Amino acid sequence: MQSRLEQDIISTAESFTNNFSDKGNFDFSVQSLRKVDDILEELCEYEIDNDSLDSVSSMVGSYIFEVARRNYGGKYYWMQDREQPVLVTGEPEFSISIFAFDKVRGRIQNGKEDEISYYFDGYINAVEKGKETGYCATIV
């Protein structure tokens, strides 16, 4: 049974795929994150107020979360102190956590140095290491 948080993230991610279908094939594959980076690169050129930045971070972040969950598993938790969800993959054998909303915000504000594809590669490598060694980490 899905939690309310998981339902909200899934529906937001699916809204993203519908809203941006003209920008590429968002099929929840790892490769589709390159197109996400392209969209975020375009947004770097604009002055975005905090409400819009929160909205974009939530929508795009939900898509990134779902790419991770659908390809590598995991469970969503709400982090009250950060006012956003976290995806934790691998429990109880290992634990790899990501905060996608923060990453999207950073990508828009900082440009290519916070590239989503690079970030996600770090997540994949950590999951692989976790499967082998029981490694635990938060990917930032």
Side-chain angles (χ1 to χ4, degrees):
M1 179 155 155
Q2 291 179 333
S3 70
R4 178 76 183 147
L5 178 59
E6 184 174 335
Q7 290 172 0
D8 288 348
I9 291 171
I10 291 169
S11 67
T12 303
E14 289 172 351
S15 292
F16 171 84
T17 66
N18 294 331
N19 292 342
F20 291 92
S21 61
D22 63 321
K23 298 280 187 185
N25 180 21
F26 296 101
D27 59 359
F28 298 97
S29 67
V30 174
Q31 295 78 17
S32 70
L33 294 175
R34 297 212 182 283
K35 290 287 183 196
V36 170
D37 255 330
D38 293 343
I39 291 170
L40 296 177
E41 183 64 22
E42 285 180 37
L43 289 174
C44 289
E45 300 170 17
Y46 297 97
E47 193 70 32
I48 300 175
D49 63 60
N50 276 333
D51 287 342
S52 297
L53 189 57
D54 287 344
S55 179
V56 170
S57 296
S58 171
M59 182 171 276
V60 178
S62 291
Y63 180 78
I64 294 166
F65 275 143
E66 275 300 285
V67 170
R69 190 185 67 80
R70 291 179 189 202
N71 287 280
Y72 296 96
K75 184 172 180 184
Y76 296 113
Y77 298 95
W78 183 257
M79 299 300 293
Q80 192 63 42
D81 60 326
R82 293 176 84 152
E83 298 181 357
Q84 65 181 296
V86 61
L87 176 68
V88 181
T89 301
E91 290 182 320
E93 293 79 21
F94 63 97
S95 176
I96 306 301
S97 302
I98 58 171
F99 287 92
F101 291 12
D102 278 351
K103 194 61 185 180
V104 172
R105 179 181 282 273
R107 176 64 173 94
I108 293 168
Q109 292 174 325
N110 302 327
K112 284 195 182 286
E113 72 183 57
D114 278 332
E115 195 170 76
I116 300 301
S117 299
Y118 180 78
Y119 172 74
F120 206 84
D121 286 345
Y123 164 77
I124 293 169
N125 291 336
V127 168
E128 299 294 326
K129 183 176 179 181
K131 287 178 182 177
E132 293 172 17
T133 67
Y135 180 66
C136 297
T138 299
I139 308 304
V140 293

